[in-house]
Amino acid sequence: MAVNGIEQLCPNCGLCCDSTLFADVELRAGDDAKRLAKLGLTIEKKTRTKLAFAQPCACFDGKLCAIYADRPQRCRKFECGLLKKVGANEMTADAALKKIAEARKRAEKVRKLLRQSGQHEEKMALTHRYAEAMSATINLSDTADAERRGELMLAVNDLMTLLERDFLR
């Protein structure tokens, strides 16, 4: 059932690759950083001893992973909560697809609000974009700016609540 779940869910989701779920992916023992860099990932030092690549993943085409057979260990081992539930027959693939559609809709709402707030860096992780937008000086005399920022905060809260409940458990 897990392979069936992967075939049905993953190409319709991509939230683990597009920066909705993660800002970066740390490399693990056995990952060849030089080979992964040649495949298209931008490998950077996260800490003194840890390497990672930023999200959104440069090898994700919006549907599929271009380096699926050669992907890093973390990517190989990650299973979202929905995939686990479908694999354990605790949820149907159709129900999971509906949750994916809702999460993608909420993530797109956040991205739209970020663009409206002046944050257009689409290659930056969603959480980093949000942090940058929220750290910008707010013009309290501009009620539209204040309302947009409030709407963005609520949209991020709605997205994170859904992700925590359905994808990260």
Side-chain angles (χ1 to χ4, degrees):
M1 185 58 145
V3 171
N4 188 25
I6 290 171
E7 290 172 356
Q8 290 182 356
L9 303 184
C10 295
N12 291 294
C13 185
L15 299 176
C16 60
C17 301
D18 74 358
S19 87
T20 301
L21 285 175
F22 307 110
D24 62 37
V25 176
E26 290 181 11
L27 299 188
R28 292 256 176 117
D31 287 331
D32 183 341
K34 288 181 182 175
R35 183 180 59 79
L36 291 169
K38 285 181 183 176
L39 292 170
L41 295 177
T42 302
I43 309 296
E44 298 176 354
K45 278 193 167 194
K46 185 171 180 176
T47 67
R48 209 169 47 87
T49 59
K50 292 182 182 180
L51 298 175
F53 62 94
Q55 296 286 330
C57 181
C59 296
F60 180 63
D61 72 3
K63 282 257 190 211
L64 300 171
C65 175
I67 61 167
Y68 189 79
D70 298 308
R71 68 196 184 280
Q73 294 297 319
R74 284 250 165 131
C75 300
R76 289 177 187 278
K77 293 184 186 219
F78 178 72
E79 289 186 353
C80 74
L82 293 178
L83 190 59
K84 289 176 189 175
K85 287 178 184 172
V86 170
N89 291 318
E90 295 172 6
M91 178 183 286
T92 66
D94 285 342
L97 287 168
K98 287 178 183 169
K99 290 184 179 280
I100 289 167
E102 180 60 27
R104 289 176 59 94
K105 179 180 167 187
R106 290 183 189 190
E108 184 50 40
K109 180 178 182 179
V110 168
R111 286 182 175 92
K112 178 183 174 189
L113 289 166
L114 284 166
R115 287 188 292 273
Q116 290 174 355
S117 297
Q119 209 313 321
H120 298 281
E121 189 57 51
E122 301 286 338
K123 293 190 179 197
M124 183 186 290
L126 192 61
T127 53
H128 296 174
R129 292 180 67 195
Y130 175 67
E132 187 174 283
M134 295 308 290
S135 67
T137 304
I138 187 167
N139 181 356
L140 294 174
S141 65
D142 181 356
T143 56
D145 184 37
E147 287 175 10
R148 189 171 35 253
R149 189 174 294 220
E151 188 178 355
L152 176 59
M153 290 172 64
L154 290 173
V156 167
N157 181 66
D158 288 346
L159 173 62
M160 291 302 151
T161 299
L162 177 70
L163 296 177
E164 285 287 333
R165 183 187 69 224
D166 294 326
F167 291 84
L168 296 172
R169 290 186 182 190

